[in-house]
């Protein structure tokens, strides 16, 4: 048996899957894997593919880390405290390796795509066996093959531009599925680490995406979420002329009872053609998440967002001209380096004009490795916190007023779970991405229902089944 495999000359992924499967089949009991993904929905989708590879190799799965033969953490690097959390978790499971030396510990994802972090894990967390970067997901079987043939530590943090197709995913839901359509980002917003850990934009072939969605619909999935760091720049690297609006219209032709959502969109690539597709395609949810980040041109410039407030508002006005009540949500950063009181007032003014149904707001958090991390910042933390409270209060008022438009209406809702606070109630999302609560049997979870809205609140609306 080879004791020191050459990572550059391993058998193919398929051959390694088979070899590992045969090796595991010799065990008296099926080995169990504990898989945990941190961070965004793209990370979750990567975790589902990693689980698929593990399943093909013969692993079962467990939610009890104490019972695991393999532990895999799929990490996030968007914020530094996310990395600190993972490193703390790695330290806490050292005892498991001590008690069970045959335990295999893998760390993958955006965090390990940074070579300095991979090096730190290798030198300071000796109980970790395998480290993979974000684009090396398909190499998991090869790394396990090398480990099982005597290699103490296996690492691959290279950026691969090819996109392996046909990988099996172990879906976390039986009725909602995420479908990455592209990977990487070319925008280099000054606060964001993503281009450095996920590489440049690369689009999947449209026929592969269409085939995957067709199969999901045939399997009974009701909601398909198209994913990408900048999903609406899809196709710019393809030679066949397929852009994002064309892809949406092609997917809309798939027959079945389902709807399509997507995230996340960059305003500079939110074209009239994209908005027309949302409004005109019957399977597209009538909601757009369009992150603006700030209502100040000066701040947007320092963020390298490549649009102005007026350019953003023109896009909002376009879709609202066609549908005055169209549902919009957004992301906002409060307290970006040297954000002035005037800059912040511009954000509030933008919110009053757009009247978002909801916003996801964050106080700026410095991310080492980005340009914004070294920008001077003279705004006290207390001032940033006060601004955040004002922003949230304004959005609450807007949401309460906006939600009244649904009163008395019938809304089509995908029931997705039981209410955490009110026994006997179910929750779901409407096409407009509105959270809807209603009384119903748990057997309805995973199906579309019609709900007549009888009450409206800040974060949700409630109603009765029709």
């Amino acid at each position: 048996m080879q004791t020191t495999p050459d990572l550059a000359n391993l058998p193919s992924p398929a051959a390694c899957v088979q070899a590992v499967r045969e090796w595991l089949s010799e065990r008296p009991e099926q080995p169990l894997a504990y898989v945990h993904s941190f961070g965004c929905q793209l990370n979750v989708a990567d975790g589902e593919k990693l689980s698929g590879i593990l399943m093909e190799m013969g692993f079962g799965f467990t939610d009890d880390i104490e019972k695991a033969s393999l532990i895999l953490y799929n990490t996030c690097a968007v914020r530094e405290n996310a990395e600190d959390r993972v490193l703390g978790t790695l330290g806490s499971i050292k005892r498991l390796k001590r008690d069970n030396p045959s335990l295999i510990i893998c760390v993958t994802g955006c965090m390990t795509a940074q070579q300095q972090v991979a090096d730190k894990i290798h030198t300071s967390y000796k109980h970790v066996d395998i480290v993979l970067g974000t684009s090396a997901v398909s190499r998991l079987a090869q790394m396990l093959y090398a480990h099982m043939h005597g290699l103490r530590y296996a690492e691959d943090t290279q950026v691969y531009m090819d996109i392996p197709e046909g990988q099996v995913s172990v879906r976390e839901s039986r009725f909602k599925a995420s479908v990455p359509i592209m990977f990487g980002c070319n925008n280099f917003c000054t606060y964001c680490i993503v281009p450095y850990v996920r590489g440049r934009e690369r689009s999947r072939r449209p026929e592969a995406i269409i085939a995957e969605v067709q199969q999901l619909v045939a399997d009974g999935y009701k909601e398909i979420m198209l994913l990408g760091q900048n999903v609406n720049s899809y196709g710019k690297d393809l030679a066949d002329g397929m852009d994002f609006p064309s892809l949406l219209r092609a997917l809309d032709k798939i027959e079945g009872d389902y709807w399509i959502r997507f995230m996340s969109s960059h305003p500079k690539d939110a074209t009239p053609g994209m908005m027309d597709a949302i409004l005109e395609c019957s399977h597209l949810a009538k909601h757009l998440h369009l992150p603006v980040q700030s209502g100040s041109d000066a701040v947007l410039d320092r963020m390298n967002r490549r649009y102005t407030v007026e350019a953003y508002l023109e896009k909002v006005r376009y879709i609202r001209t066609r549908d005055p009540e169209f549902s919009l949500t957004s992301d906002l950063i409060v307290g970006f380096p040297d954000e002035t009181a005037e800059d912040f007032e511009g954000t509030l003014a933008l919110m009053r004009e757009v009247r978002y149904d909801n916003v996801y707001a964050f106080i700026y958090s410095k991310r080492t490795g980005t340009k914004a991390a070294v920008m001077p910042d003279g705004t006290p933390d207390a001032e940033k916190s006060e601004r955040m409270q004002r922003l949230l209060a304004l959005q609450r008022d807007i949401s309460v007023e906006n939600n009244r438009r649904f009163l008395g209406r019938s809304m089509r809702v995908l029931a997705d779970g039981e209410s955490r606070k009110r026994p006997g109630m179910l929750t779901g999302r409407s096409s407009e991405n509105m959270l809807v609560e209603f009384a119903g049997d748990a057997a309805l979870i995973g199906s579309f229902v019609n709900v007549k809205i009888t009450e409206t609140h800040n974060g949700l609306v409630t109603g009765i089944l029709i």
Side-chain angles (χ1 to χ4, degrees), residues 25 43 52 89 161 166 182 203 206 240 266 278 337 344 354 360 367 388 397 418 432 450 464:
S25 68
N43 259 29
T89 301
M161 297 304 291
M182 63 181 302
S203 303
D240 60 7
H266 196 293
I278 296 171
F344 177 68
V354 177
Y360 301 88
R367 182 64 181 85
M388 173 63 87
D397 291 343
E418 298 182 63
E432 300 85 356
N450 292 314
I464 57 174

Side-chain angles (χ1 to χ4, degrees), residues 2 50 117 119 150 194 214 226 242 295 355 370 412 416 453:
Q2 183 180 0
L50 289 161
V117 176
D119 292 343
V194 166
Q214 283 176 326
L226 308 180
M242 175 71 82
R355 302 193 63 77
T370 64
R412 193 165 194 245
D416 59 16
I453 305 307

Side-chain angles (χ1 to χ4, degrees), residues 90-276:
L90 287 179
S92 71
I93 64 171
K94 185 176 182 179
R95 63 174 180 82
L96 297 176
K97 185 78 166 185
R98 182 183 63 243
D99 296 341
N100 178 16
S102 66
L103 173 67
I104 303 170
I105 300 177
C106 310
V107 186
T108 73
C110 292
M111 179 174 149
T112 51
Q114 304 165 93
Q115 191 58 52
Q116 73 274 16
V117 176
D119 292 343
K120 181 176 182 178
I121 292 174
H122 183 35
T123 57
S124 302
Y125 299 84
K126 296 291 188 181
H127 53 294
V128 174
D129 303 291
I130 296 171
V131 169
L132 291 173
T134 53
S135 62
V137 168
S138 62
R139 294 266 286 169
L140 175 61
Q142 292 168 302
M143 298 297 102
L144 278 171
Y145 175 92
H147 174 78
M148 291 174 177
H149 283 73
L151 190 65
R152 167 62 192 88
Y153 176 78
E155 175 186 305
D156 189 346
T157 57
Q158 292 187 55
V159 175
Y160 296 92
M161 297 304 291
D162 62 309
I163 302 175
E165 296 289 358
Q167 291 182 333
V168 174
S169 292
V170 177
R171 304 282 182 182
E172 293 189 357
S173 170
R174 61 181 172 81
F175 57 90
K176 297 169 74 171
S178 296
V179 176
I181 65 169
M182 63 181 302
F183 301 90
C185 184
N186 293 350
N187 291 318
F188 289 92
C189 300
T190 57
Y191 53 82
C192 184
I193 197 73
V194 166
Y196 305 99
V197 297
R198 283 197 174 266
R200 302 300 160 266
E201 290 177 357
R202 50 208 186 275
S203 303
R204 291 178 64 192
R205 296 297 307 169
E207 59 269 20
I209 298 168
I210 293 169
E212 183 174 353
V213 174
Q214 283 176 326
Q215 187 60 57
L216 288 167
V217 172
D219 290 342
Y221 282 84
K222 299 301 182 184
E223 178 175 295
I224 315 296
M225 176 69 79
L226 308 180
L227 296 179
Q229 259 78 34
N230 182 18
V231 70
N232 50 346
S233 67
Y234 172 83
K236 290 185 177 182
D237 58 327
L238 299 178
D240 60 7
M242 175 71 82
D243 60 7
F244 187 55
S246 301
L247 177 66
L248 292 177
R249 291 186 182 277
L251 293 173
D252 183 58
K253 294 178 182 177
I254 298 171
E255 294 185 2
D257 189 17
Y258 66 97
W259 59 34
I260 293 174
R261 301 186 187 276
F262 58 84
M263 66 180 302
S264 194
S265 299
H266 196 293
K268 72 177 177 61
D269 299 310
T271 63
M274 183 193 83
M275 298 180 192
D276 290 343

Side-chain angles (χ1 to χ4, degrees), residues 172-454:
E172 293 189 357
S173 170
R174 61 181 172 81
F175 57 90
K176 297 169 74 171
S178 296
V179 176
I181 65 169
M182 63 181 302
F183 301 90
C185 184
N186 293 350
N187 291 318
F188 289 92
C189 300
T190 57
Y191 53 82
C192 184
I193 197 73
V194 166
Y196 305 99
V197 297
R198 283 197 174 266
R200 302 300 160 266
E201 290 177 357
R202 50 208 186 275
S203 303
R204 291 178 64 192
R205 296 297 307 169
E207 59 269 20
I209 298 168
I210 293 169
E212 183 174 353
V213 174
Q214 283 176 326
Q215 187 60 57
L216 288 167
V217 172
D219 290 342
Y221 282 84
K222 299 301 182 184
E223 178 175 295
I224 315 296
M225 176 69 79
L226 308 180
L227 296 179
Q229 259 78 34
N230 182 18
V231 70
N232 50 346
S233 67
Y234 172 83
K236 290 185 177 182
D237 58 327
L238 299 178
D240 60 7
M242 175 71 82
D243 60 7
F244 187 55
S246 301
L247 177 66
L248 292 177
R249 291 186 182 277
L251 293 173
D252 183 58
K253 294 178 182 177
I254 298 171
E255 294 185 2
D257 189 17
Y258 66 97
W259 59 34
I260 293 174
R261 301 186 187 276
F262 58 84
M263 66 180 302
S264 194
S265 299
H266 196 293
K268 72 177 177 61
D269 299 310
T271 63
M274 183 193 83
M275 298 180 192
D276 290 343
I278 296 171
L279 293 167
E280 295 166 7
C281 293
S282 61
H283 289 112
L284 263 66
K286 307 311 176 190
H287 161 254
L288 176 61
H289 185 71
L290 197 62
V292 67
Q293 307 300 0
S294 175
S296 161
D297 285 342
V299 172
L300 291 174
D301 183 60
R302 293 203 300 278
M303 289 178 170
N304 192 36
R305 290 293 285 175
R306 288 184 277 176
Y307 55 83
T308 63
V309 172
E310 182 57 29
Y312 181 92
L313 288 173
E314 286 177 3
K315 298 171 188 293
V316 172
R317 291 166 188 150
Y318 179 86
I319 201 163
R320 287 272 174 79
T321 297
R322 296 198 58 189
D323 181 356
E325 295 185 346
F326 188 85
S327 178
L328 287 168
T329 55
S330 192
D331 294 340
L332 290 165
I333 295 175
V334 175
F336 190 76
D338 266 356
E339 177 191 71
T340 66
E342 184 180 3
D343 292 330
F344 177 68
E345 290 298 331
T347 297
L348 298 183
L350 174 77
M351 292 171 64
R352 293 186 186 101
E353 178 163 351
V354 177
R355 302 193 63 77
Y356 298 107
D357 282 333
N358 193 19
V359 299
Y360 301 88
F362 309 89
I363 295 177
Y364 170 75
S365 175
K366 184 171 73 172
R367 182 64 181 85
T368 301
T370 64
K371 290 185 177 181
V374 297
M375 290 180 178
D377 185 9
T379 308
D381 289 343
E383 175 66 17
K384 294 180 182 181
S385 296
E386 189 272 337
R387 290 176 187 175
M388 173 63 87
Q389 294 308 310
R390 289 178 58 199
L391 183 151
L392 294 176
L394 173 60
Q395 184 57 48
R396 278 193 296 272
D397 291 343
I398 293 173
S399 294
V400 167
E401 187 171 335
N402 279 3
N403 291 353
R404 292 188 185 123
R405 73 186 190 273
F406 298 115
L407 193 62
R409 292 187 186 179
S410 172
M411 302 183 78
R412 193 165 194 245
V413 175
L414 177 58
D416 59 16
E418 298 182 63
S419 173
R420 296 178 182 178
K421 297 181 179 180
R422 300 178 64 188
M425 302 290 282
L426 301 181
T427 61
R429 293 276 174 180
S430 70
S431 175
E432 300 85 356
N433 203 40
M434 182 60 56
L435 181 61
V436 182
E437 191 175 61
F438 55 96
D441 190 279
L444 293 172
I445 294 173
S447 60
F448 288 113
V449 296
N450 292 314
V451 179
K452 183 176 181 179
I453 305 307
T454 57

